[in-house]
Amino acid sequence: MKPRQRQLYAERIERVVEHIERLDPDAPNPALAELAEIAALSEFHFHRVFRLMTGETPGEALRRIRLARSLPALAATGTVTEASGAAGYATSQGFARALRRQAGTSASEARAGGTLDSLAARLRSPAGEGAAALSVEVVSVEPFRLLAIRNVGDYAELNAGYTRLFDLVLQQMPPEALRGIYGVPYDDPRFIPPEDCRFDCALATGEAGAPVGALSELRLGGGHHARLRHLGSYDALPESIDLLYAAAIVELDQPLGSAPAFVHYLDDPEEVAEAELRSEIYLPLG
């Protein structure tokens, strides 16, 4: 990672970790938007940058840190109930399950073995930095216009969203007027409940067509972007987006832009074998 960029993002993520560590055990879990603001990153960048740099999601970090903070209470009082409250768990059973899942031990085993202090220290450390770097291209993308519809729900069902999009757009223009198929994923379906995942299904139409009814107008591009070419199933795009983020942070001496990443789909899954599907992922740079 370039020293300047490594330090920049490390400081931003460290601010978030320090904020989590200062939270009162009785306080509600902070919203993703709140943590992203502390890191001075947009929500759609923050979740991935945090996970790629620490090896865990913000939610996992919150649970880990609260568990670590609860162990001194367990050592001092000897009661799982008080430790559970310090960790923000409503029941001792929930606390016990979380400790077993996170640390591979129980409270009684750690207390009996005299390992509470070392266990707390281990829980205060993140899982480690994320994915390895990948070479990417930096390209200049001219601004372009699209017609889009917002799909909220399981990304596995996006075909229905694109079918609806094509139906609406082709009411205004012939197929030969279309200039490309795009998608803007705002959430990571591996960590966000499927029913809450937001995605803009989009078609590049030049200046043709109007954003009427369910259609909205998007403007993408403008400036430099990191680009990664993805080959294979479109369902595997979240992993490739991770690789692009990791490569951009590690290899490029430029900050991330404020806009979300977007995908240009080059092939039709109904006409091209899954293993041969081509797409390009673009990540705006600041």
Side-chain angles (χ1 to χ4, degrees), residues 68-89:
R69 290 173 57 185
S70 74
L71 296 183
L74 182 62
T77 67
T79 66
V80 175
T81 299
E82 291 195 32
S84 302
Y89 286 87

Side-chain angles (χ1 to χ4, degrees), residues 31-181:
L32 186 65
E34 176 186 345
L35 299 180
E37 183 176 359
I38 293 169
L41 289 167
S42 56
E43 285 185 57
F44 35 79
H45 289 331
F46 169 70
H47 193 278
R48 276 196 164 87
V49 170
F50 188 98
R51 184 167 52 80
L52 288 167
M53 294 195 69
T54 67
E56 59 188 350
T57 67
E60 289 168 341
L62 177 64
R63 291 189 290 272
R64 172 180 56 76
I65 291 169
R66 284 185 162 172
L67 279 173
R69 290 173 57 185
S70 74
L71 296 183
L74 182 62
T77 67
T79 66
V80 175
T81 299
E82 291 195 32
S84 302
Y89 286 87
T91 67
S92 58
Q93 292 87 352
F95 170 78
R97 286 194 297 269
L99 186 60
R100 172 70 71 179
R101 182 171 57 250
Q102 185 75 45
T105 189
S106 69
S108 58
E109 289 170 349
R111 186 169 51 210
T115 61
L116 286 174
D117 288 343
S118 61
L119 180 58
R122 178 156 61 90
L123 286 173
R124 287 189 180 277
S125 299
E129 292 193 5
L134 184 75
S135 294
V136 300
E137 297 176 282
V138 176
V139 296
S140 180
V141 181
E142 293 296 322
F144 61 103
R145 176 181 179 271
L146 308 95
L147 293 178
I149 60 170
R150 173 64 56 87
N151 187 92
V152 180
D154 194 339
Y155 282 4
E157 306 300 327
L158 283 174
N159 280 346
Y162 277 101
T163 297
R164 183 179 177 218
L165 173 66
F166 272 94
D167 287 343
L168 293 172
V169 171
L170 293 180
Q171 291 175 18
Q172 301 189 46
M173 65 190 73
E176 55 268 22
L178 303 181
R179 302 184 181 183
I181 304 173

Side-chain angles (χ1 to χ4, degrees), residues 136-139 224-228 244 248 252 281-285:
V136 300
E137 297 176 282
V138 176
V139 296
H224 289 93
H225 289 61
R227 180 175 68 186
L228 171 66
L244 180 57
L252 304 178
I281 310 166
Y282 291 83
L283 180 61
L285 301 173

Side-chain angles (χ1 to χ4, degrees), residues 134-139 226-232 234 237 240-241 243-244 263-264 266 277-282:
L134 184 75
S135 294
V136 300
E137 297 176 282
V138 176
V139 296
R227 180 175 68 186
L228 171 66
R229 288 188 169 93
H230 172 89
L231 180 66
Y234 292 156
L237 279 167
S240 287
I241 293 174
L243 292 175
L244 180 57
V263 180
H264 182 194
L266 301 177
L277 290 172
R278 298 168 302 146
S279 54
E280 295 177 336
I281 310 166
Y282 291 83

